[in-house]
Amino acid sequence: MSLLGRDLAMDLGGSRTRIYVRGKGIVLDEPSAVTIDGRTGKIIGYGADATGEEICWPVSGGLPADGDLTLRMVKHFLSKVHRRPLARPRLIMALPDGSTPIERATLRDVAYEAEARQIRLIPHSLAAALGAGLPVRDYVGGMVIDIGRDSARIAVLSGGEAVATTAVPGGGRAVDRAIARLVEHEHGRTIDERAAEAAKHQAGADGNPVTVRARDPETGQEHDVRLPAERIREAAGPAIESIVWAAMETVERCPAELTGDLGERGAVLVGGGALLAGLAQRLRESLGMPVRRAERPLECVALGLGTCVDDLGLRARLRRRR
């Protein structure tokens, strides 16, 4: 632990924010959500306390979409895990691959304004790979497919660095919206984003139907609606295909010497979208390589950042090996 404050890692995701404390592991896991009072405009809830219809999601693709709301939310989360106001923490965060200098500066500004003493930014793909247990220290190729709330990010890594990356807009949210449209078109009812996300995760390979609570738009009453798992997978099809094509295109842009390594080591799925049944099989068929889901797909980035918190010299050693 630092003499001046705890060393922390924060996975600032579009869907959830997770904080890892050195020596303790993940101590906070809450929605990246803020509730605003529609009448007064004041914030009345953060994270797990953000409920109702006036919910805002201020983070998109791992970056602040609304800087002020993101700052307020980050301050709130840090205050829950770091209760030493005179001891500012060192903070490690993930920087999405391909971010612009302005986006990098914005993320740093949020961290410093939230009272971080020092900020280190780790490439998102590297954090995900570390959390998934990939041998990133080796000079071999490995692929990470991270399906988050707002985007799917694909990266091929070698020697601790991303050599080819692709980002696909939509991500898990595109699947959620497709499920909501399915309920509306076939049942004349509406479901919110959280219900659609739950249905996506419950549509397992066993083929059992999923029951969701849907609202009648005319009466406002809620009813149970049963959705066949196969129909959910069909609705998710277009979003999945965009990820598959992006993964294939990323492989094509890789150096030829990594192709054999990818064929042997394959890809690992992380993020909330990794829980979608049938996705790994679809990717295996198209890429012609092994594809597996990480053991803890939702927490991979936070765990990878935590590895860097526990070993602050890791990033520098990876760079020296290049």
Side-chain angles (χ1 to χ4, degrees), residues 179-224:
I179 294 172
R181 288 194 297 270
L182 171 68
V183 174
E184 182 178 4
H185 293 164
E186 296 193 357
H187 301 274
R189 316 261 191 229
T190 61
I191 59 174
D192 61 22
E193 186 173 310
R194 290 184 177 179
E197 183 178 18
K200 174 181 65 182
H201 293 164
Q202 293 169 18
D206 55 13
N208 292 332
V210 174
T211 300
V212 297
R213 293 289 289 176
R215 183 183 300 275
D216 187 317
E218 295 183 358
T219 67
Q221 294 182 340
E222 291 188 343
H223 305 270
D224 285 342

Side-chain angles (χ1 to χ4, degrees), residues 3-14:
L3 294 177
L4 297 178
R6 286 180 175 174
D7 293 330
L8 312 176
M10 175 180 288
D11 172 20
L12 186 64

Side-chain angles (χ1 to χ4, degrees), residues 79-253:
S79 70
K80 296 184 71 171
V81 302
H82 188 76
R83 304 179 185 278
R84 302 167 63 189
L86 298 180
R88 299 165 63 191
R90 290 189 294 191
L91 186 61
I92 292 180
M93 301 179 73
L95 178 69
D97 297 88
S99 299
T100 67
I102 293 177
E103 291 170 333
R104 187 180 303 114
T106 298
L107 190 58
R108 284 185 176 277
D109 289 345
V110 166
Y112 282 125
E113 290 184 43
E115 304 302 325
R117 173 168 56 91
Q118 185 182 55
I119 172 69
R120 294 188 182 184
L121 300 179
I122 302 296
H124 183 277
S125 58
L126 176 60
L130 286 168
L134 295 185
V136 297
R137 296 169 178 82
D138 298 337
Y139 283 89
V140 296
M143 175 180 281
V144 176
I145 302 175
D146 184 350
I147 306 174
R149 178 177 184 266
D150 300 297
S151 63
R153 286 172 282 192
I154 303 158
V156 174
L157 296 102
S158 178
E161 297 288 342
V163 296
T165 63
T166 304
V168 183
R173 195 177 187 187
V175 177
D176 299 339
R177 288 172 171 171
I179 294 172
R181 288 194 297 270
L182 171 68
V183 174
E184 182 178 4
H185 293 164
E186 296 193 357
H187 301 274
R189 316 261 191 229
T190 61
I191 59 174
D192 61 22
E193 186 173 310
R194 290 184 177 179
E197 183 178 18
K200 174 181 65 182
H201 293 164
Q202 293 169 18
D206 55 13
N208 292 332
V210 174
T211 300
V212 297
R213 293 289 289 176
R215 183 183 300 275
D216 187 317
E218 295 183 358
T219 67
Q221 294 182 340
E222 291 188 343
H223 305 270
D224 285 342
V225 172
R226 286 168 62 85
L227 301 175
E230 183 60 31
R231 291 292 293 124
I232 292 177
R233 287 193 287 270
E234 290 175 1
I240 290 176
E241 289 305 307
S242 67
I243 296 171
V244 170
W245 279 103
M248 294 170 62
E249 191 269 340
T250 305
V251 172
E252 291 176 356
R253 288 191 287 108

Side-chain angles (χ1 to χ4, degrees), residues 12-15 17 32 57-66 70 73 149-150:
L12 186 64
S15 177
T17 294
S32 301
W57 300 86
V59 178
S60 178
L63 294 166
D66 185 311
T70 301
M73 183 181 70
R149 178 177 184 266
D150 300 297

